[in-house]
């Protein structure tokens, strides 16, 4: 069975950092594009970043560009989202998801292109 499990969320002060992990099981993550999404209270879920399969291309939403990075550890079947210079507006539940279509843009993350989702991890940025 395919599973994605996010971890690494928590409470952090503005300007701080967190690294989220997306541990995959039931499939080989390096063969799939993996996306990160977030949903803030009262807002729609939005795409944050995506890493493609193979020799990866990476994409970021403008709101997190130059602050977040995305990477893979194929040996651990895990995708990471490193979040630096965190702002209160980054507060949200963060989800990872497996794509069955290629991600190709930092500005467009059609949720219909993703077939499996994790349960989410809460990130709270507050002093």
């Amino acid at each position: 069975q395919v599973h994605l499990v996010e971890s690494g969320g928590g409470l952090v002060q503005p300007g701080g950092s967190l690294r989220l992990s997306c541990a995959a099981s039931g499939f080989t993550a390096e063969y799939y594009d993996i996306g990160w999404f977030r949903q803030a209270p009262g807002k729609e879920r939005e795409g944050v970043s995506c890493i493609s399969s193979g020799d990866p291309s990476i994409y970021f939403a403008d709101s997190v560009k130059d602050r977040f990075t995305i990477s893979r550890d194929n040996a651990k079947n895990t995708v990471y989202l490193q979040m630096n210079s965190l702002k209160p507006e980054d507060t949200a539940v963060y989800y990872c998801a497996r794509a069955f279509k290629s991600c190709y843009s930092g500005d467009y993350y059609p949720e219909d292109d993703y077939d499996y989702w994790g349960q989410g991890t809460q990130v709270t940025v507050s002093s």
Side-chain angles (χ1 to χ4, degrees):
Q1 285 186 332
V2 172
H3 287 290
L4 295 165
V5 178
E6 303 93 339
S7 61
L11 173 64
V12 64
Q13 292 186 341
S17 298
L18 283 174
R19 187 179 77 160
L20 305 184
S21 300
C22 173
S25 61
F27 72 102
T28 303
E30 68 177 294
Y31 298 149
Y32 289 83
D33 295 14
I34 302 292
W36 281 96
F37 294 75
R38 67 186 181 185
Q39 187 167 22
K43 295 187 177 181
E44 292 188 356
R45 189 159 56 189
E46 63 175 355
V48 173
S49 181
C50 183
I51 184 167
S52 68
S53 60
D55 186 14
S57 297
I58 57 177
Y59 304 91
F60 299 95
D62 286 344
S63 59
V64 305
K65 201 173 294 182
D66 299 327
R67 298 188 298 121
F68 290 12
T69 60
I70 188 171
S71 62
R72 295 178 178 272
D73 185 335
N74 294 332
K76 295 183 178 179
N77 214 29
T78 298
V79 174
Y80 300 100
L81 185 69
Q82 176 68 43
M83 307 186 297
N84 300 323
S85 301
L86 282 162
K87 304 175 181 180
E89 51 264 44
D90 294 319
T91 295
V93 178
Y94 283 72
Y95 302 88
C96 63
R98 187 183 83 167
F100 61 88
K101 293 184 180 180
S102 297
C103 54
Y104 55 89
S105 169
D107 300 319
Y108 187 56
Y109 300 83
E111 292 198 12
D112 287 347
D113 289 357
Y114 293 82
D115 54 1
Y116 288 93
W117 295 76
Q119 82 291 347
T121 186
Q122 175 70 47
V123 171
T124 303
V125 185
S126 175
S127 54

